[in-house]
Amino acid sequence: MTTLFINGSSRTNGNTVAFGERLLAGIPHTTLHLIDQHLNFDLDQRGTGQPQRDTRDDYEALMAQFAAADDIVIGTPVYWYNMSGQLKTFMDRWFDSFTTGFDFAGKRVYLLVVGVDDPANKATDIISKAFAESCDWLKMTYMGAATAIADGPTDLQQQATLPAEALKVRQTLVTMTQSVSRETKS
């Protein structure tokens, strides 16, 4: 059983990372920062006879880690009412994997969204459209989302407790990781 945290923020030590690391405290996981990955935009090869893939970047290595994970926690700040550009590029590239037979089915996906001003409302399209619909189409299990309000670069680190919906997502994740661990030991 493995858990992967994908940080879609341009900061490797900002609020999105703090949100993910606090949510995952005590849960073994690997953290990947998309800003540290070289990801090209989607190279659409449909109709050319060429495979739908681009081997000039880090995407395939990143997807190898994605493949090894059972639970995937994805974090993003809200930028102009949407996810970060890095995360959007990463998700656009899922089409490459889909067309080459990557098995997304059964992955459990959790979403964390950080914003300054009413992120629960401003992230509606990220949550209900981009993630829920993508998970459904790719046969992944969308496990839920949590939002947090933060402005300064260390706001989430300084909050005494995580928001209630984040604690609910954490409990779901803990339950899933424990039940898989028990099944593996049997």
Side-chain angles (χ1 to χ4, degrees):
M1 179 17 247
T2 58
T3 301
L4 178 63
F5 172 49
I6 298 174
N7 170 33
S9 173
S10 59
R11 294 182 186 154
T12 58
N13 60 356
N15 287 308
T16 303
V17 172
F19 195 13
E21 295 300 339
R22 287 186 67 187
L23 183 110
L24 291 163
I27 298 171
H29 66 280
T30 300
T31 298
L32 290 175
H33 304 284
L34 290 181
I35 196 71
D36 292 339
Q37 308 296 311
H38 173 74
L39 293 174
N40 295 331
F41 290 107
D42 192 33
L43 181 63
D44 191 347
Q45 297 284 0
R46 293 174 293 171
T48 67
Q50 299 296 316
Q52 183 66 33
R53 63 190 292 210
D54 185 346
T55 58
R56 301 170 301 160
D57 65 8
D58 299 330
Y59 178 75
E60 290 187 12
L62 181 56
M63 287 309 287
Q65 292 184 58
F66 191 100
D70 297 310
D71 292 282
I72 299 155
V73 178
I74 299 176
T76 185
V78 176
Y79 290 155
W80 292 101
Y81 309 96
N82 213 324
M83 67 187 80
S84 68
Q86 300 90 280
L87 184 53
K88 177 67 170 112
T89 298
F90 176 60
M91 287 183 66
D92 285 347
R93 294 290 299 280
W94 288 356
F95 186 70
D96 292 9
S97 298
F98 176 76
T99 60
T100 58
F102 182 87
D103 190 11
F104 287 92
K107 301 289 181 197
R108 292 183 297 268
V109 179
Y110 308 77
L111 177 63
L112 304 178
V113 181
V114 178
V116 174
D117 177 27
D118 193 16
N121 182 44
K122 292 183 177 177
T124 300
D125 286 343
I126 302 170
I127 296 166
S128 65
K129 295 291 183 190
F131 277 85
E133 296 291 333
S134 294
C135 286
D136 183 57
W137 189 66
L138 294 168
K139 309 293 186 245
M140 295 187 289
T141 304
Y142 179 63
M143 300 299 291
T147 61
I149 297 172
D151 187 13
T154 61
D155 283 358
L156 269 166
Q157 294 167 343
Q158 296 173 10
Q159 290 179 10
T161 61
L162 290 174
E165 64 182 359
L167 296 174
K168 183 178 175 183
V169 167
R170 176 180 165 70
Q171 186 54 51
T172 300
L173 183 58
V174 167
T175 300
M176 295 308 298
T177 57
Q178 288 175 346
S179 68
V180 171
S181 292
R182 281 194 299 273
E183 290 171 10
T184 306
K185 290 178 184 176
S186 298

